[in-house]
């Protein structure tokens, strides 16, 4: 069974600074997809970024980028120039073909003004 | 583009009562998902539909939970009878198809409290 581990329950960052959220996963598959979702207090899960395992290039979306280390099964999210609106729970998730999306337990990110 | 609509937003019931949640996915999305998110945890898939057929309901407690998507558009999730451990947020999501690469779009969820 695939598992997704987010070992840090909480993190804090100063506004305008950079923060990195960690995620590791366990799989025997070579082809899969990894996601980071953001869940603000409003509860709606919002897709932040997606990475295809077959791509070596790390995905980037504006201030959000990932460090994908396939051999180490690591998938961290870097948020640059942190903003107050980035405060939320962040979930790392994994999915392979013909399988369900598996989420980690999440990490609560707070942003200090 | 209208997002995934869910109702109600909050529901409080007593144990052993029944409750139903409704979800309307994004127009054109063939795949619909129901998740249960217990406080402090990530969402767990309960059931996945492709049009009006069930793709995966392996984690649905079928003795008390049921779900349908009769016309392949909107869906209802029912719990009968409810237990204390069913207190959670119930999230509905949709995607264009079942492809693993497809992003899932989530609704605002229903927060269920069991007294």
């Amino acid at each position: 069974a695939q598992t997704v581990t987010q070992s840090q329950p909480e993190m804090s960052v100063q506004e305008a600074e950079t923060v990195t959220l960690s995620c590791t996963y366990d799989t025997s598959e070579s082809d899969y997809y990894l996601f980071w979702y953001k869940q603000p207090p409003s509860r709606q899960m919002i897709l932040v970024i997606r990475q295809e395992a077959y791509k070596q290039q790390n995905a980037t979306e504006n201030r959000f980028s990932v460090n994908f280390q396939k051999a180490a099964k690591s998938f961290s999210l870097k948020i640059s120039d942190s903003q107050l609106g980035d405060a939320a729970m962040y979930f790392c998730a994994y999915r392979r073909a013909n399988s369900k999306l598996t989420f980690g337990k999440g990490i609560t990110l707070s942003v200090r003004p | 583009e209208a997002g995934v609509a869910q109702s109600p937003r909050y529901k409080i019931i007593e144990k052993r009562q029944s409750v139903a949640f409704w979800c309307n996915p994004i127009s054109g999305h063939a795949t619909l998902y129901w998740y249960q998110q217990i406080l402090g945890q990530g969402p767990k898939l309960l059931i996945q539909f492709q049009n009006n057929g069930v793709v995966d309901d392996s984690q649905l407690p079928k003795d008390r939970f049921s779900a349908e998507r009769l016309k392949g558009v909107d869906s209802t999730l029912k719990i009968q009878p409810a237990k204390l451990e069913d207190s959670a947020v119930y999230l509905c999501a949709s995607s264009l198809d079942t492809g693993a690469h497809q992003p899932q779009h989530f609704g605002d969820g229903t927060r269920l409290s069991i007294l």
Side-chain angles (χ1 to χ4, degrees):
Chain A
Q2 287 73 38
T3 59
V4 178
T5 302
Q6 295 179 255
S7 56
Q8 308 154 303
E10 298 179 357
M11 285 199 75
S12 180
V13 62
Q14 190 75 35
E15 194 176 6
E17 297 294 310
T18 296
V19 64
T20 298
L21 310 182
S22 301
C23 172
T24 58
Y25 58 95
D26 184 29
T27 184
S28 57
E29 303 291 326
S30 60
D31 192 15
Y32 50 87
Y33 298 85
L34 295 164
F35 306 84
W36 277 98
Y37 278 89
K38 170 185 178 182
Q39 187 176 42
S42 65
R43 296 202 302 261
Q44 186 181 38
M45 299 279 280
I46 302 163
L47 179 64
V48 174
I49 201 163
R50 176 183 65 183
Q51 175 77 44
E52 296 87 345
Y54 62 85
K55 288 187 178 179
Q56 291 187 334
Q57 187 174 6
N58 289 322
T60 300
E61 289 287 344
N62 300 314
R63 298 184 294 108
F64 299 87
S65 61
V66 299
N67 183 4
F68 173 49
Q69 301 289 329
K70 192 172 184 178
K73 297 179 183 176
S74 170
F75 182 60
S76 60
L77 174 69
K78 186 172 81 171
I79 306 174
S80 303
D81 186 25
S82 296
Q83 300 175 1
L84 295 177
D86 294 333
M89 279 205 74
Y90 287 82
F91 291 92
C92 178
Y94 162 99
R95 191 177 187 191
R96 62 173 174 81
N98 301 315
S99 185
K100 63 182 181 294
L101 188 62
T102 300
F103 289 88
K105 287 190 173 183
I107 178 171
T108 300
L109 177 67
S110 58
V111 181
R112 304 185 303 274
Chain B
E1 173 181 83
V4 176
Q6 286 189 250
S7 67
R9 189 143 170 84
Y10 302 91
K11 190 72 178 180
I12 301 173
I13 62 173
E14 295 185 346
K15 60 182 178 182
R16 291 188 291 274
Q17 287 187 325
S18 63
V19 63
F21 313 123
W22 174 82
C23 173
N24 191 37
I26 292 173
S27 178
H29 281 196
T31 310
L32 185 146
Y33 312 81
W34 283 103
Y35 289 88
Q36 180 191 59
Q37 185 178 18
I38 293 173
L39 185 65
Q41 298 183 19
K44 181 185 83 171
L45 179 70
L46 291 175
I47 189 167
Q48 176 185 340
F49 291 94
Q50 174 67 9
N51 296 312
N52 61 352
V54 175
V55 174
D56 183 351
D57 64 355
S58 57
Q59 298 189 109
L60 186 74
K62 298 180 185 64
D63 57 334
R64 298 183 300 106
F65 286 65
S66 64
E68 60 183 15
R69 194 186 183 198
L70 292 176
K71 296 183 179 179
V73 180
D74 56 350
S75 175
T76 56
L77 175 70
K78 296 178 182 178
I79 308 174
Q80 182 180 12
K83 291 186 175 181
L84 292 175
E85 63 256 34
D86 299 332
S87 292
V89 173
Y90 291 84
L91 296 166
C92 180
S94 70
S95 61
L96 277 172
D97 57 47
T98 59
H101 65 289
Q102 290 288 358
Q104 295 184 20
H105 302 264
F106 287 80
D108 290 342
T110 297
R111 182 179 298 280
L112 175 65
S113 298
I114 311 294
L115 303 178

